[in-house]
Amino acid sequence: MIARRRFVATTLTALAATPLAASLYAWRIEPHWLDFTHRPLPVPDLPAALEGRTLAHLSDLHVGPSVDDGYILDTFRRTSALAPDLVAFTGDFITYRGSAPLEQLRRVL
């Protein structure tokens, strides 16, 4: 049987570590997570000219101090290598306000 003190100490340690782990994930892992998913996308009443075309969807680039130009450019190169017919950019182009992330976004685009 686990002693009460040990249980409380373990619980408090786990509770203290959770925000740290979440912050580490949000700062170092998620901004550099590139995921390619390939799946058919049936669209009702799609014009015949678009049938069989390939769509690349880029989202949440989060250009800013946590994401360097090399990562963004590599993402664009890897996407380009797929030779999509259409590319859609949606949501969260930058992470912070101000001129620096906007300048970085202009540079990489």
Side-chain angles (χ1 to χ4, degrees):
M1 178 162 257
I2 188 168
R4 182 172 184 236
R5 266 189 202 183
R6 184 175 176 140
F7 173 77
V8 170
T10 302
T11 301
L12 290 176
T13 301
L15 289 174
T18 299
L20 178 63
S23 297
L24 181 64
Y25 171 83
W27 175 53
R28 297 306 302 161
I29 297 172
E30 198 272 339
H32 298 92
W33 184 352
L34 182 58
D35 184 29
F36 288 94
T37 304
H38 304 270
R39 63 173 59 116
L41 182 65
V43 178
D45 303 317
L46 184 70
L50 295 177
E51 287 183 21
R53 302 289 183 202
T54 301
L55 169 69
H57 176 215
L58 295 171
S59 181
D60 298 307
L61 295 175
H62 291 283
V63 172
S66 297
V67 181
D68 61 51
D69 289 3
Y71 173 77
I72 298 294
L73 293 172
D74 184 54
T75 298
F76 291 161
R77 276 192 285 278
R78 291 177 64 187
T79 302
S80 180
L82 298 172
D85 298 300
L86 303 164
V87 179
F89 291 91
T90 61
D92 295 340
F93 289 111
I94 62 171
T95 298
Y96 300 100
R97 294 182 186 182
S99 60
L102 292 174
E103 174 56 29
Q104 183 183 6
L105 180 62
R106 185 199 62 76
R107 192 171 55 246
V108 296
L109 287 179

